[in-house]
């Protein structure tokens, strides 16, 4: 390894793994704009090696300043007498070295790229990223949300040893026990009311679980939208309004249905009214919480996919039990 | 469009969208093995167009029988006097046209492919698949699990109108109401017991929710493993055993913790023992159900990501409430 190579390798290792710099290779073929295609073709034949995933050569000046791309297709189909600068494409922007891997993946997906040059802040070419590395990012990003929402490490192997799996998952079960205890404490505040009307204990899981389900739907949608870069500070207000509207609509429908079922089951019109109002409240809170929690967590640099679902269920459980049992205490006692 | 083109287009439209045939393009450059590179290069220049994502030309005989690939790199770096058959690669297998899009994506990921030829049952080349189409499959597959587990259509847009969003999600809320009602019915069977000891109503959500969380972890892991093709009939038995072991380990730990908390909170040793045993039972059932449900659903051709979580919560709710309140009825009354 000569000095220049070693310097390049040190540079590449200094970029964070989840940035454009961490994803890139340094084996980039550079050409000058003033060459003819004939010379480029002769050079390639002499060089004898074209890096994997090369669908274009990178055109730069003497100081590696990025100028544009020379697609391999043009090299093969254009008149060899032409100059690089006359057939190179100028519109393909290079990727800044400090972009996050998720931003890189979004660019590759949007522009259907096979490879793209990477430039530093002085617009000098420092490497290139190929699609096979981006595919791993896309897979990892999408799986990260799925696994994190169940409190699993996406590194967790299906074939990991029992002990290390159990330890990993215990952290999640422990956190969830805390939220379950909080819900139990809320119920405990109303034990006198439950003692007088056991139907409350029978019905209370309905209010909590419907809120949890509705909130999870909003939460999942927002987490996906954020990962895809569709949701940001610009449209979050609009999105919260939209989700609250969906919550009101669904709240009206299901409050009515659950009220009717309660009326038929327990023949108690007061109980039916109480569960209807409590469910309405919980579905509204769920919609609002599901939309707002991931945005707040992201601003605090906490992973929304990991922390979002446990915070949401805590809220829907506590509000669900509190609204239902609290209203019952007010009205029935 | 001439006759041949029209026939090709009819053929391509007849393949299912989520198969290799549905993913492929038909603009494939074919070359014969007996040509020299010089002739191929001249042909390309004359033809003037190379389809996007072409990193290799497909080598076939006169009847389009697949023989191998001629990488563009070899075309650019080898001596133009050489023959295609002398430098073509033979080891790159073509993709059968009836492979599922998920299988295609797995092959592309495993072999880091940019493009691959597609062949019919007679090993005749019918088209080629490029990485940009596969990227969409990878993204969709990974998102499908995430969205389906929350009962969301992956087609559902974050920016869809309120009414259509509300309608979509109502189906899911309706199904979940049925399972919540089933859980309520189970609780209702023990109303006399709860009336005598309200602490049961306070503690019962803990047993159900811990089971639900633990089961979801197993379920998510198995659903991901199945999507990645890591889990099949060959190792499902091993996997169920592994998950049950994790369940036993975690069951022992959390049963003890919850028993101790109950003892301190309610000063009732019988109640502490009952909740410990009930939680142990539910965590074991959750592990078993989380591993087995997706496999059974897949065999019945029902999407595990969509139906799995609702079936799992139904089981952990019903078993959780039944074990806890049933044991309490036996021991305390």
């Amino acid at each position: 390894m000569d000095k220049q190579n070693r310097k390049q390798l040190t540079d590449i290792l200094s970029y964070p793994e989840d940035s454009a710099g961490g994803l890139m290779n340094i084996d980039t073929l550079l050409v000058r704009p003033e060459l003819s295609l004939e010379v480029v073709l002769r050079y390639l034949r002499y060089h004898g090696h074209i890096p994997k995933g090369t669908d274009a050569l990178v055109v730069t000046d003497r100081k590696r300043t990025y100028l544009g791309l020379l697609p391999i297709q043009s090299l093969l189909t254009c008149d060899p007498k032409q100059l690089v600068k006359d057939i190179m494409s100028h519109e393909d922007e290079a990727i800044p070295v400090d972009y996050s891997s998720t931003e890189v993946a979004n660019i590759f997906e949007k522009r259907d790229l096979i490879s793209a040059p990477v430039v530093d802040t002085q617009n000098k070419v420092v490497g290139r990223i190929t699609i096979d590395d981006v595919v791993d990012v896309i897979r990892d990003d999408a799986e990260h949300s799925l696994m994190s929402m169940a409190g699993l490490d996406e590194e967790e192997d299906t074939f990991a040893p029992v002990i290390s799996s159990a330890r990993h998952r215990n952290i999640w079960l422990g956190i969830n026990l805390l939220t379950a205890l909080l819900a139990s404490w809320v119920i405990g505040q109303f034990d006198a009311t439950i003692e007088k009307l056991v139907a409350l204990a029978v019905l209370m899981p309905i209010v909590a679980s419907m809120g949890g389900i509705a909130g999870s739907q909003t939460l999942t949608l927002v987490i996906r939208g954020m990962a895809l870069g569709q949701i940001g500070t610009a449209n979050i207000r609009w999105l919260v309004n939209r989700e609250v509207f969906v919550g009101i609509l669904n709240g009206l429908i299901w409050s009515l249905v659950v009220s009717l079922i309660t009326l038929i089951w327990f023949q108690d019109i007061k109980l039916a009214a109480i569960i209807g109002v409590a469910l309405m409240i919980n579905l509204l809170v769920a919609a609002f919480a599901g939309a707002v929690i991931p945005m707040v967590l992201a601003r605090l640099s906490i992973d929304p996919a990991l922390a979002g679902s446990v915070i949401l269920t805590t809220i829907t459980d506590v509000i669900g039990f509190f609204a239902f049992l609290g209203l019952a205490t007010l009205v029935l006692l």
Side-chain angles (χ1 to χ4, degrees), chain A:
Chain A
M1 240 195 305
D2 62 20
K3 238 184 189 169
Q4 206 201 336
N5 268 341
R6 204 177 301 163
K7 192 187 166 313
Q8 279 186 329
L9 204 65
T10 322
D11 282 352
I12 210 175
L13 288 174
S14 72
Y15 296 112
E17 207 193 319
D18 59 346
S19 72
L23 279 177
M24 72 186 184
N25 304 303
I26 49 171
D27 56 348
T28 314
L29 287 178
L30 305 180
V31 287
R32 300 281 153 70
E34 62 275 10
L35 298 178
S36 70
L37 297 193
E38 208 161 19
V39 174
V40 174
L41 284 166
R42 216 182 310 137
Y43 167 75
L44 286 179
R45 197 149 285 146
Y46 168 79
H47 190 67
H49 169 72
I50 299 176
K52 196 175 155 31
T54 298
D55 63 336
L57 308 185
V58 182
V59 187
T60 67
D61 65 12
R62 222 161 250 284
K63 289 174 170 161
R64 296 180 76 101
T65 310
Y66 176 67
L67 300 173
L69 291 177
L70 175 67
I72 294 285
Q73 304 177 14
S74 312
L75 198 57
L76 284 168
T77 55
C78 292
D79 179 0
K81 300 253 165 359
Q82 285 190 281
L83 299 183
V84 169
K85 64 179 171 196
D86 295 328
I87 58 165
M88 66 188 257
S89 74
H90 299 269
E91 68 268 32
D92 302 290
E93 285 164 58
I95 293 176
V97 73
D98 58 348
Y99 267 33
S100 76
S101 55
T102 304
E103 283 171 307
V104 173
N106 285 339
I107 292 173
F108 266 73
E109 274 195 89
K110 209 178 286 172
R111 294 203 234 145
D112 281 347
L113 299 178
I114 305 286
S115 77
V118 179
V119 292
D120 63 13
T121 44
Q122 278 100 49
N123 202 31
K124 302 228 187 297
V125 175
V126 287
R128 78 194 173 99
I129 298 175
T130 49
I131 182 77
D132 50 318
D133 296 318
V134 176
V135 163
D136 298 336
V137 172
I138 292 172
R139 169 79 83 184
D140 287 352
D141 275 1
E143 287 208 334
H144 172 80
S145 303
L146 175 71
M147 298 290 276
S148 297
M149 285 186 82
L152 295 164
D153 197 318
E154 78 256 42
E155 306 276 299
E156 166 142 359
D157 202 294
T158 322
F159 307 102
V162 170
I163 298 285
S164 84
S165 280
R167 202 174 37 218
H168 256 113
R169 298 193 212 168
N170 267 334
I171 301 168
W172 196 241
L173 286 168
I175 293 170
N176 275 281
L177 177 58
L178 290 180
T179 84
L181 283 172
L182 185 62
S184 286
W185 177 81
V186 172
I187 300 171
Q189 300 309 300
F190 300 101
D191 53 356
T193 317
I194 294 171
E195 213 154 19
K196 288 207 177 113
L197 189 62
V198 181
L200 294 172
V202 175
L203 292 171
M204 67 185 187
I206 295 178
V207 182
S209 85
M210 290 291 278
I213 294 288
S216 295
Q217 292 193 313
T218 303
L219 185 80
T220 304
L221 209 66
V222 173
I223 286 174
R224 184 189 72 144
M226 285 169 62
L228 293 178
Q230 292 171 343
I231 299 176
T233 39
N235 55 0
I236 179 63
R237 202 168 207 156
W238 175 89
L239 187 84
V240 172
N241 285 338
R242 174 184 179 279
E243 287 300 318
V244 169
F245 262 114
V246 174
I248 291 174
L249 260 180
N250 288 353
L252 287 172
I253 295 169
W254 294 110
S255 295
L256 200 68
V257 171
V258 171
S259 281
L260 275 174
I261 293 172
T262 304
L263 189 61
I264 294 165
W265 190 354
F266 292 96
Q267 313 276 335
D268 183 336
I269 190 134
K270 272 192 191 165
L271 186 62
I274 290 166
I275 201 170
V277 174
L279 187 55
M280 185 76 215
I281 293 172
N282 208 21
L283 287 179
L284 265 181
V285 170
F288 185 78
V292 170
I293 289 170
M295 299 300 296
V296 173
L297 288 175
R299 192 158 302 174
L300 299 172
S301 302
I302 300 170
D303 177 13
L306 184 62
S309 61
V310 64
I311 295 178
L312 179 86
T313 4
T314 308
I315 292 177
T316 52
D317 276 2
V318 167
I319 299 285
F321 291 134
F322 191 82
F324 183 50
L325 299 176
L327 278 172
T329 307
L330 283 179
V331 175
L332 297 177
L333 292 194

